[in-house]
Amino acid sequence: MTSDLTSFAALAPAYPELLLAVGAVVLLLAGVLFSRERSTGLALISIVLLIAVIAVALWQPAEGTLFNGGFIVDGFARYMKLLVLGGSAVTLILSTSAAKPFGLDKFEYSILVLLATLGMMVMVSANDLMSLYVSLELQSLALYVVAALKRDDSRATEAGLKYFVLGALASGLLLYGASLVYGFTGLTQLDQIVGAIAGEHRSIGLIFGMVFLLAGIAFKISAVPFHMWTPDVYEGAPTPVTAFFSTAPKVAAMALIIRVVTVSFGPITHDWQQIVVFLSIASMVLAAFAAIGQNNLKRLLAYSSIGHVGFALVGLSAGTAVGVEGVAIYLAIYITMNIGFFAVLLSLRTADGAYVETIPQLAGLAQKRPFVAAIMAVVMFSFIGLPPLAGFFAKWQVFLAAIDAHLFALAIIGVLASAVSAFYYLRIVKVMYFDEATTEFEAAPAELTAVMAVTGFLLVTYFVTVGAPLYNAAHAAAGSLF
Amino acid sequence: MTLALFFFYVFSIIAVASALMVIASRNPVHSVLFLILVFVNAAGLFMLAGAEFLALILIVVYVGAVAVLFLFVTMMLDVDFASLRQGMLQYAPVGVVVGVILLLELLLVGGSFVMAPQVSGASAVPIDHAVDNTRALGQVIYTRYVFLFQGAGAVLLVAMVGAIVLTLQHKANVKRQNIAHQTQRTRAEATELVKVKSGQGV
């Protein structure tokens, strides 16, 4: 039995995770010892820690597998890790000003976010059914607690409980699938399972295992028909927590499903393609129609995120490198848009200290706060996918991949669903610009204004600024899987 | 009859009998004590089967922690078990039918279960019958599976942090014992001499 723990240098590919794990534990100790009341300082240190981890991940070129194949670092993992880390860091920045009013001013909040991020990074790098499960549980468990952190609020505790019960069910499905896959191949390592499939005729038991595995992960990315928890949890959880839920964990779970289907089940693409196509169509269509009647902004965003998962899955269902590349670009743009949306939501605070929750409260925002309204409008148009905003290029990439793979029906349904979803996005723009103003808002904190400005800039100038580097990065990431 | 067979029958008879007593005894505390007896005998059976690690874990975790917790809960909650047990005879036939079906299913599965021949050979850590299983586990858990071991540790840490943050209450005006303060108290600040007139009280 060999061990990778012979020298510290041998662990080079896992440096980011090690730094994050050690940092989180040290901060936990510091929090318990010193700052029961002063949680803001710890939140700031957590943000610095995440940025340090990003720096390590960027400048650490080592790739390869570790821990007897259980942990893999390749181009795809590094790309997704940077998205996850960026999403977590920005959501922590968003929560600094809103922590107190939302009851998140406990030092455990940032610690749990850090530990969830650690789980997500391992998920992205998981190359074994066992490490996949352990990392998924690490992430989910931290998220359940974060959802219910405002424990005096009945909606937040309900959200946490609902998330926990349904998440446990999903974990059960996933474990059942993993056990079937192991039972019918005798293997747990993702890149070895593929050998068992190619070597002999695929067995029906393996297909069953794969279906359950995909169902379990579909829960985590909230694809229809496994989406039921999303609107309730997003609405019930405190807004900064919802911002966190809708960004980094989505990316990590998406990376997981991509790695499982392309690496382990590559030879039986036709089998999983049907499932992914179904998930994709169902998510896009349901989200397009279900969001129309929503008045609560967080609920609306929940349906919107279900829809966006559907669009991202369009790229995956192509089953090609171009498709995965499309998904990678889609996820980067998706989390940027979501961050913009939540920065707007968290910067709109009325004089009595309440945050905006419903669409009618946005009435006449353009007169009161033209900058915030403009950012919201940009985010909405980008959600719809209007050129030249970033959202257009995201959808363009995935639909292109689908058409390349001759999935014409899927692409057409996707475009139609996108057109239907334009209704509820445009409704927000209409309310902001053409309705009579009713509420007064307080000035936004500086960091939220900065986040809004940056996301707005990136979304508007995507094609001329970040478009090409992002495309190259996504291209390299997808290339490492095929 | 070999010694192993003799102990097998001793352990299994006591296990089944005390399992019966768990549901039959009137006093819930006795039920929990019988449950502990079931665990101990099951551990003995594991030991006979050569699974000594499982046997000791069963004692440490189930008897040492879970059963004691059960005992605390049954003693503190004061549930009226007598009323819960009402109508037990009424439901017994249904229970028996379900139990028999379950037993038949288990027999069917157990009778027809075959491991696919390629599975045991392909598994990551094939079973080596020469080493006992505590040693076998020790050989892989901190080397091959150190990553999963640490990952599981992180999951438990999150669970602990979560349990504390969701339940711990910081009460503002709780009086705590301050020993230094107590020992520094002088007689002057602790006692007061009051002159009481007879027949009037304080």
Side-chain angles (χ1 to χ4, degrees):
Chain A
M1 291 300 149
T2 55
S3 166
D4 292 305
L5 298 178
T6 46
S7 74
F8 189 60
L11 291 173
Y15 278 169
E17 283 82 359
L18 287 177
L19 176 62
L20 188 56
V22 173
V25 173
V26 169
L27 284 182
L28 178 62
L29 272 179
V32 174
L33 288 177
F34 305 119
S35 80
R36 269 260 153 238
E37 269 70 55
R38 287 165 295 158
S39 57
T40 333
L42 217 71
L44 292 179
I45 301 174
S46 307
I47 296 168
V48 172
L49 176 67
L50 281 176
I51 292 169
V53 175
I54 292 176
V56 172
L58 272 177
W59 285 312
Q60 172 51 251
E63 295 192 347
T65 58
L66 272 181
F67 308 115
N68 294 79
F71 182 87
I72 186 167
V73 179
D74 51 9
F76 178 74
R78 296 184 58 190
Y79 177 90
M80 290 296 177
K81 262 178 212 176
L82 288 176
L83 287 190
V84 165
L85 286 166
S88 300
V90 177
T91 32
L92 274 186
I93 293 174
L94 291 185
S95 2
T96 45
S97 68
K100 196 146 187 82
F102 280 106
L104 299 172
D105 53 343
K106 300 173 181 156
F107 77 91
E108 288 95 341
Y109 171 62
S110 34
I111 306 288
L112 285 168
V113 170
L114 289 181
L115 286 169
T117 311
L118 176 68
M120 288 181 241
M121 289 175 76
V122 180
M123 268 165 83
V124 166
S125 274
N127 190 35
D128 187 295
L129 291 174
M130 288 183 282
S131 52
L132 182 156
Y133 177 69
V134 169
S135 56
L136 195 69
E137 279 306 292
L138 178 57
Q139 176 244 23
S140 316
L141 210 57
L143 294 188
Y144 306 147
V145 179
V146 170
L149 205 55
K150 194 181 175 188
R151 61 184 188 197
D152 304 326
D153 184 58
S154 63
R155 283 199 310 166
T157 43
E158 185 200 328
L161 193 64
K162 201 170 262 178
Y163 197 14
F164 174 67
V165 171
L166 291 176
L169 180 70
S171 293
L173 288 179
L174 187 116
L175 269 185
Y176 184 48
S179 73
L180 281 174
V181 170
Y182 174 63
F184 280 88
T185 59
L187 298 163
T188 56
Q189 209 167 312
L190 295 185
D191 49 7
Q192 289 176 347
I193 289 172
V194 70
I197 297 170
E200 60 195 289
H201 213 64
R202 64 183 171 83
S203 62
I204 194 79
L206 183 69
I207 301 296
F208 259 92
M210 186 193 73
V211 170
F212 277 104
L213 210 56
L214 289 187
I217 307 176
F219 243 104
K220 304 291 175 187
I221 57 172
S222 67
V224 178
F226 305 105
H227 66 287
M228 281 81 82
W229 58 274
T230 322
D232 294 339
V233 171
Y234 279 28
E235 188 191 351
T239 310
V241 173
T242 313
F244 182 52
F245 283 0
S246 69
T247 50
K250 281 275 163 69
V251 174
M254 210 61 188
L256 202 62
I257 197 170
I258 292 173
R259 193 183 287 282
V260 168
V261 296
T262 55
V263 172
S264 301
F265 301 112
I268 48 171
T269 300
H270 184 70
D271 288 306
W272 60 258
Q273 202 175 31
Q274 306 166 12
I275 301 169
V276 175
V277 166
F278 172 75
L279 291 177
S280 168
I281 290 178
S283 306
M284 290 187 297
V285 172
L286 181 122
F289 288 100
I292 289 175
Q294 303 304 330
N295 243 348
N296 184 300
L297 280 163
K298 279 152 79 183
R299 227 179 154 76
L300 182 110
L301 185 101
Y303 282 108
S304 153
S305 87
I306 293 170
H308 284 288
V309 162
F311 289 118
L313 287 176
V314 169
L316 180 60
S317 35
T320 57
V322 182
V324 173
E325 193 181 298
V327 181
I329 293 174
Y330 201 102
L331 289 175
I333 294 172
Y334 165 74
I335 65 169
T336 316
M337 295 190 292
N338 265 13
I339 285 167
F341 180 85
F342 280 103
V344 168
L345 228 56
L346 289 171
S347 66
L348 294 179
R349 197 176 177 193
T350 53
D352 57 347
Y355 282 85
V356 162
E357 283 259 312
T358 59
I359 295 176
Q361 284 177 297
L362 291 177
L365 190 64
Q367 300 143 31
K368 302 276 176 196
R369 302 282 295 282
F371 171 71
V372 178
I375 296 295
M376 189 65 152
V378 165
V379 170
M380 287 303 134
F381 285 125
S382 185
F383 270 147
I384 299 170
L386 286 185
L389 298 174
F392 167 72
F393 295 99
K395 283 185 180 161
W396 166 264
Q397 290 285 347
V398 290
F399 286 136
L400 208 62
I403 289 169
D404 272 352
H406 301 284
L407 296 166
F408 299 114
L410 177 64
I412 290 168
I413 293 173
V415 172
L416 291 178
S418 184
V420 174
S421 70
F423 171 79
Y424 56 82
Y425 294 131
L426 286 177
R427 185 169 147 231
I428 293 179
V429 178
K430 178 240 160 201
V431 168
M432 287 192 307
Y433 278 87
F434 301 110
D435 282 9
E436 219 37 60
T438 50
T439 33
E440 292 285 341
F441 297 106
E442 295 195 334
E447 76 272 8
L448 289 181
T449 314
V451 169
M452 282 191 283
V454 170
T455 47
F457 174 78
L458 289 178
L459 292 178
V460 172
T461 64
Y462 172 80
F463 191 64
V464 285
T465 55
V466 286
L470 185 68
Y471 177 80
N472 288 337
H475 187 74
S480 72
L481 284 185
F482 288 89
Chain B
M1 194 153 83
T2 62
L3 202 61
L5 204 60
F6 171 72
F7 275 109
F8 170 76
Y9 281 116
V10 170
F11 284 138
S12 36
I13 287 169
I14 298 179
V16 172
S18 42
L20 255 177
M21 287 306 290
V22 172
I23 52 169
S25 70
R26 287 191 172 277
N27 190 332
V29 176
H30 292 175
S31 286
V32 178
L33 291 175
F34 274 114
L35 192 66
I36 294 176
L37 193 58
V38 177
F39 286 144
V40 172
N41 282 287
L45 289 173
F46 273 130
M47 196 70 101
L48 286 180
E52 81 284 347
F53 182 75
L54 217 52
L56 295 177
I57 283 294
L58 195 71
I59 301 259
V60 172
V61 176
Y62 277 84
V63 178
V66 177
V68 173
L69 199 71
F70 258 32
L71 207 54
F72 275 128
V73 171
T74 43
M75 283 170 146
M76 291 174 93
L77 282 188
D78 192 25
V79 184
D80 188 3
F81 284 90
S83 69
L84 281 181
R85 209 172 279 127
Q86 266 177 6
M88 193 169 118
L89 272 181
Q90 205 178 326
Y91 298 119
V94 184
V96 168
V97 169
V98 172
V100 167
I101 292 174
L102 213 63
L103 183 70
L104 284 179
E105 284 180 343
L106 278 175
L107 286 177
L108 276 176
V109 171
S112 59
F113 180 79
V114 205
M115 285 282 271
Q118 70 270 27
V119 166
S120 64
S123 72
V125 186
I127 300 160
D128 182 359
H129 291 285
V131 292
D132 49 57
N133 52 49
T134 312
R135 187 183 301 271
L137 202 63
Q139 278 171 353
V140 289
I141 199 163
Y142 300 112
T143 54
R144 189 184 173 95
Y145 294 124
V146 66
F147 176 55
L148 297 172
F149 186 73
Q150 294 296 330
V155 173
L156 289 178
L157 177 71
V158 168
M160 204 175 75
V161 172
I164 291 173
V165 77
L166 290 182
T167 54
L168 186 66
Q169 308 266 6
H170 281 283
K171 291 202 185 94
N173 43 11
V174 176
K175 289 196 172 121
R176 290 205 167 79
Q177 189 178 22
N178 186 344
I179 294 175
H181 187 73
Q182 268 181 333
T183 50
Q184 276 171 10
R185 233 155 75 117
T186 56
R187 182 164 173 219
E189 58 189 283
T191 57
E192 188 185 355
L193 215 63
V194 183
K195 197 143 183 94
V196 185
K197 273 187 188 166
S198 63
Q200 289 197 341
V202 184

